[in-house]
Amino acid sequence: MRQKDATRRVVLISTGGTIASRRIGDGYTAELSGPQILEGAGVPDGLRVRVRDLFTANSSALTTDQQLTLLGAVHEALADDEVDGVVVTHGTDTLEESAFLIDLYHRDGRPVVFTGAQRPPDHDESDAPANLRDALSVAATGHDLGVVVVFDGLVHAARGTVKQHTLAVEGFGDPSGTPVGGVSEGRVLIRHRPPRRPPLPLPDGPAPRVDIVTHHAGADPVLLRAAVAAGARGIVLAGTGSGNASPVFVDAVAEAVSAGVLVALTTRVPAGPVAGIYSGGGGVDLIAAGAVPTGTLRAPQARMAVISALLHRSDPAERIAALGRLLSDEPLAPLAPETDGVLR
């Protein structure tokens, strides 16, 4: 039984990214260890941090199997009931994917907080130290937040949050939603808690191949069929508008679904839900052909949902049903009133 005291305990899992990068030659490369990152940020008073170096990589180079390894590392950290929360430092290129993947399996009241940086630690105006300190504060004082992304003084739910600017320090947000809170001088204000959904059981086995195909004017389904031929067990079709494509995609989607491939339909538009409004190859026809609409989730996070559904179920019909549940935007838990936490 844990003996309560004033000290909060957080596990920091380091995976690389800009927050772990320094300039080498003409560009930045991830090479700093977790302790080095932590030393550069400083630890808030009343907090003890244990560091685990999991990867040291640019996040654009991460594999899906490495993301599943991260999932296991987070669950290992939370197996210790002395731990109050977990912080994951991660490259910004694929942070939204990893955070949402972890959220699909998160069953604990203690928070998992993803953060990173748009400017590396050796930049004159680096955002790395502030982002990490804020993330540590949220991990130490938050509760029932699920998985969140902390960036530029804001706390975002993992679900729906994407990288929305290539270089600006306010790099993350949910185009279809609002932040769940913020951090100022160590004080964490949570305005509402993200709805929690029933977590999936931890996966067993390697990640299946799931590809993303984007529709555009003049597109044909050659790449979609090529992905199936290459062994893809899932496809995310990023359509135009509210989730539309040209008529030639409808048969290709039906063929893929008939072959047992799980197809999800999203859109390349930044905000708003996928909706079956148009025929003639639009969302009406694609959904009728077997594509599962992704709501407000965009392609990278929709791909994580497809992967998880494939790992969770073996029967094609059960996979489609499981994917529909994972993609649902309907809240399954009420929002809590405003609260705040201060790391003292």
Side-chain angles (χ1 to χ4, degrees):
M1 189 73 168
R2 176 174 174 176
Q3 298 298 315
K4 291 294 183 181
D5 58 39
T7 302
R8 301 297 184 97
R9 295 166 176 83
V10 171
V11 174
L12 170 62
I13 300 175
S14 174
T15 69
T18 300
I19 197 171
S21 294
R22 59 164 56 122
R23 180 174 285 280
I24 298 177
D26 294 333
Y28 286 97
T29 300
E31 67 166 27
L32 299 178
S33 67
Q36 288 175 307
I37 299 168
L38 186 62
E39 182 181 2
V43 178
D45 293 337
L47 181 60
R48 183 181 301 169
V49 181
R50 184 172 80 240
V51 180
R52 178 176 180 183
D53 278 311
L54 192 62
F55 312 121
T56 307
N58 297 332
S59 71
S60 57
L62 288 180
T63 67
T64 308
D65 282 327
Q66 285 178 308
Q67 291 173 313
L68 291 174
T69 298
L70 173 60
L71 172 64
V74 168
H75 278 253
E76 288 173 15
L78 291 172
D80 182 355
D81 64 8
E82 295 285 321
V83 171
D84 291 289
V86 174
V87 170
V88 179
T89 54
H90 198 290
T92 60
D93 283 1
T94 57
L95 184 151
E96 65 202 64
E97 301 175 34
S98 297
F100 181 61
L101 175 69
I102 304 304
D103 193 51
L104 290 173
Y105 295 89
H106 189 53
R107 62 181 67 249
D108 202 289
R110 294 167 291 176
V112 177
V113 184
F114 277 73
T115 195
Q118 292 282 66
R119 299 169 181 169
D122 60 1
H123 190 284
D124 290 341
E125 297 179 342
S126 176
D127 57 334
N131 284 346
L132 182 51
R133 286 194 300 269
D134 288 350
L136 291 169
S137 295
V138 174
T141 63
H143 192 71
D144 284 334
L145 294 176
V147 180
V148 294
V149 177
V150 171
F151 237 86
D152 193 38
L154 295 174
V155 183
H156 305 277
R159 184 185 185 91
T161 293
V162 299
K163 186 171 183 178
Q164 58 187 8
H165 198 287
T166 56
L167 300 176
V169 293
E170 60 274 17
F172 283 85
D174 181 352
S176 299
T178 59
V180 300
V183 188
S184 178
E185 297 181 352
R187 180 179 292 274
V188 180
L189 174 64
I190 301 302
R191 298 179 179 86
H192 65 84
R193 284 179 168 77
R196 302 294 299 275
R197 291 163 174 80
L200 293 171
L202 287 177
D204 181 20
R209 176 170 183 150
V210 175
D211 292 318
I212 298 172
V213 177
T214 302
H215 181 61
H216 54 83
D220 61 35
V222 167
L223 294 180
L224 193 154
R225 290 191 168 108
V228 174
R233 294 170 59 196
I235 299 287
V236 178
L237 175 59
T240 52
S242 56
N244 306 306
S246 56
V248 291
F249 274 82
V250 177
D251 287 344
V253 167
E255 292 166 10
V257 172
S258 295
V261 177
L262 190 54
V263 179
L265 176 64
T266 185
T267 173
R268 67 185 202 187
V269 180
V274 171
I277 299 174
Y278 298 99
S279 54
V284 169
D285 297 337
L286 293 168
I287 293 169
V292 181
T294 65
T296 57
L297 291 187
R298 295 310 184 250
Q301 292 191 340
R303 179 176 173 270
M304 292 292 102
V306 171
I307 289 170
S308 297
L310 289 167
L311 290 170
H312 183 52
R313 290 284 186 259
S314 57
D315 179 77
E318 291 180 354
R319 285 173 171 170
I320 292 172
L323 179 59
R325 290 193 297 271
L326 295 179
L327 294 171
S328 173
D329 284 329
E330 292 299 317
L332 301 181
L335 298 180
E338 290 190 3
T339 60
D340 65 80
V342 182
L343 192 60
R344 301 186 188 280

